[in-house]
Amino acid sequence: MRIGELSRITGASVRSLRYYEEQGLLRPVRRPSGYREYRAEDAATVRGIRLLLGAGLGTATIGELLPCMTDDGEVLAPACSAMATDLHRERARLTEAAEELLAARDRLDAIIAATPRPDSADPAECGAVAGPAR
């Protein structure tokens, strides 16, 4: 099948499919004309890529893990227990990133809480402008 059909079947944009190929995650056959030719199993590969991207993994990590995953059409799962270490490492990375975002939000909340009410300060005093440009 051609790239447009794979895009239609998977819901991934043509641009995304080309990116997955650039990253080595998809390996379509190239016809003499230069057109990409995809196999039916490439749709399952794209599904796996999208699931792992949605789980917060980067394409380099996906490239390492995807060949060791099984996909029964409903669930993507590790094919061997050795992958648990990699998956736990990625989970820890995501947890740390989430904690950093929450800490940043808390700092912003503190700044917002310390901000005078709009009617209590002279905007000219603060160098404030009428509002963001739209």
Side-chain angles (χ1 to χ4, degrees):
M1 80 182 87
R2 293 256 183 81
I3 196 168
E5 185 177 353
L6 183 62
S7 173
R8 184 183 54 74
I9 290 170
T10 62
S13 69
V14 168
R15 183 176 177 176
S16 292
L17 296 173
R18 288 183 182 132
Y19 177 72
Y20 302 158
E21 181 183 358
E22 286 173 15
Q23 298 302 304
L25 302 175
L26 276 178
R27 292 176 184 84
V29 174
R30 286 288 189 155
R31 307 300 256 161
S33 63
Y35 287 109
R36 296 166 177 87
E37 188 71 30
Y38 294 92
R39 299 169 305 276
E41 57 268 17
D42 288 331
T45 300
V46 171
R47 178 181 176 277
I49 293 167
R50 294 182 65 163
L51 283 169
L52 293 170
L53 285 169
L57 302 182
T59 55
T61 302
I62 291 170
E64 295 171 12
L65 298 180
L66 194 60
C68 303
M69 303 293 278
T70 60
D71 184 353
D72 66 5
E74 291 188 28
V75 177
L76 186 67
C80 64
S81 60
M83 288 180 60
T85 302
D86 294 327
L87 294 171
H88 284 288
R89 180 193 70 236
E90 289 301 312
R91 186 180 190 288
R93 181 186 60 78
L94 290 172
T95 298
E96 183 178 335
E99 289 169 353
E100 289 174 6
L101 282 172
L102 290 172
R105 185 190 65 189
D106 290 346
R107 288 189 296 273
L108 183 57
D109 284 346
I111 293 168
I112 291 169
T115 303
R117 290 191 347 246
D119 60 348
S120 67
D122 178 8
E125 218 175 81
C126 300
V129 295
R134 295 183 194 245

